[in-house]
Every structure is written in structure tokens, then in C-alpha cells.
Amino acid sequence: MEQPDAQPAYVLHSRAYKETSALVDFLTPQGRMRAVLRRARGKGGSLVRPFVPLEVELRGRGELKNVGRLDTLGIAAWLHGDALFSGLYLNELLMRLLPAEAPHPALFEHYTLTLQALAADRPLEPLLRSFEWRLLDELGYAFALGQDVNGQPVDASGLYRLRVDAGLERVELVQPGLFTGAELLALAQADWDAPGALLAAKRLMRQALAVHLGPKPLVSRELFRKR
């Protein structure tokens, strides 16, 4: 009989802990959870790898819990090449930005669907940009794409800059890092086929995430550069 506190989960990160245990960060519908897995070098340790859908029972009331039970739940998303690097990037974003024990069931579902799409060799860029946007939205950092900071509709012929703390601001003088209104309106509709949309989305998400990630570089981005 299923334990009442069992829940679906994915491993975001794990590292050796003491002699035979592992310290594991899980993504669950209830948020990012950290727990000690005893005897991680035994049978249970083979499940402590990314992208495997799990069912986990976590025990304890503090921030550091104990894994009471750990089982597979469905088929793992087998990622390779750039899709693997993309999955590692998602995990690193969640580790860096997602607060511990803050429930985000919709984000968990979006992560699951994104892994499935990566495993199915869907185009990477739209998947990554969509996940970044969902993460920003879930954390309360999102901003309107169809209107500027003054509440005016974005003009397709205008130029805009991102003010991370407020939203999109229309500017008259050309400067580095700007976005055209046409690009922003395409992103608002998730029209990835529009001219310049994917490149604009990548630049916009970089700018939006940078202030929250801080100066420490993302390891997964370095892997992309070196591949």
C-alpha cells in the first residue's frame, strides 16, 4: 500500500555523503527537497541519477530529510548529446533559483513534459526558452511581453530594453541589448518561426535570469561551449 507522503520526484543533484550515503536534491511537486539516502552505494544508489521518474518517501521535519523509500515510476528520459546538456542546464537552473520546500506543482509538470520532449529530439531552443519563462513566472519574476512598463501596448516598430525590476521600456536611441517590438510580440505568441524570435528569446532570457543567478557562471553553459 502506498505511503501517504510518497510523491513523484526527479534527482536534480547528488553527491557523496559520509561513508556510504548520498546527499540528494530532489525536484518534487512540493518543491526542491534535500535528503540523505542511506547505503547509496547499494541497490538504491543506482536510482540516484538525473531524468529518472521516481516515487520517493521523505521522512523528517527539518530541511534535511531522510529517504524512506525510493522507487522508479515510469520510463526514464534517455538524453544524449545536446539534449543531455540541456537537461543538465534545467537541473542547474532549478538548483540555483528554486527555493527549498516551496511547492510548484505546475513547474514540476512542465519539467516532466520538457524532459519527454528532449528525449523525443524536439528542437531544443523553444523548449529551453519556454522552461526559462515558466521558471521566471513561477518565481514571480516574469513580466508582460505585450505591453511596456507604462502599460502601453508594445509597438511592432518600436525598440525596447528590459528593466529586470519593472519590465519592458520603450527607448528612442539605439543601444546594445535592445529588442524590437516585432520580436517581443512574436515571443508573446510563442511564434518561434518569426524572424529573429529564437535569438531574441535567448537574449531576453539571459538578461532576465542574470540578476537572479548572480556572477557565478553556470557549469552547464560551459559544457555547451566546449562540446
Side-chain angles (χ1 to χ4, degrees), residues 91-177:
N91 285 5
E92 191 171 10
L93 280 183
L94 291 167
M95 284 292 295
R96 293 275 292 271
L97 297 180
L98 195 63
E101 302 191 36
H104 289 284
L107 182 63
F108 180 87
E109 179 66 19
H110 192 87
Y111 177 85
T112 299
L113 294 175
T114 302
L115 290 186
Q116 293 171 357
L118 288 172
D121 291 327
R122 293 258 303 277
L124 299 179
E125 293 292 329
L127 293 174
L128 296 180
R129 304 295 82 82
S130 295
F131 187 84
E132 289 165 339
W133 180 255
R134 172 56 70 91
L135 179 59
L136 286 170
D137 188 37
E138 288 281 330
L139 296 178
Y141 302 144
F143 46 88
L145 290 168
Q147 66 180 33
D148 65 16
V149 293
N150 297 313
Q152 299 299 312
V154 166
D155 183 349
S157 62
L159 290 174
Y160 296 84
R161 67 179 177 185
L162 175 63
R163 287 172 46 194
V164 176
D165 60 338
L168 298 164
E169 181 179 48
R170 186 164 184 172
V171 297
E172 301 302 326
L173 297 177
V174 175
Q175 53 191 276

Side-chain angles (χ1 to χ4, degrees), residues 14-24 35-41 64-66:
S14 67
R15 61 183 175 87
Y17 182 70
K18 297 186 177 179
E19 291 187 0
T20 61
S21 301
L23 194 63
V24 186
V36 176
L37 176 64
R38 310 292 178 185
R39 298 181 298 280
R41 296 178 187 176
L64 182 59
K65 304 185 185 306
N66 289 293

Side-chain angles (χ1 to χ4, degrees), residues 203-214:
R203 290 195 299 112
L204 185 64
M205 290 299 96
R206 283 283 180 95
Q207 291 182 25
L209 287 166
V211 68
H212 307 297
L213 287 169

Side-chain angles (χ1 to χ4, degrees), residues 43-70:
K43 183 179 179 182
S46 64
L47 302 179
V48 186
R49 62 182 191 272
F51 320 129
V52 178
L54 301 170
E55 185 173 71
V56 63
E57 177 189 323
L58 301 178
R59 297 172 178 169
R61 296 184 179 275
E63 284 195 10
L64 182 59
K65 304 185 185 306
N66 289 293
V67 177
R69 181 169 64 84
L70 184 66

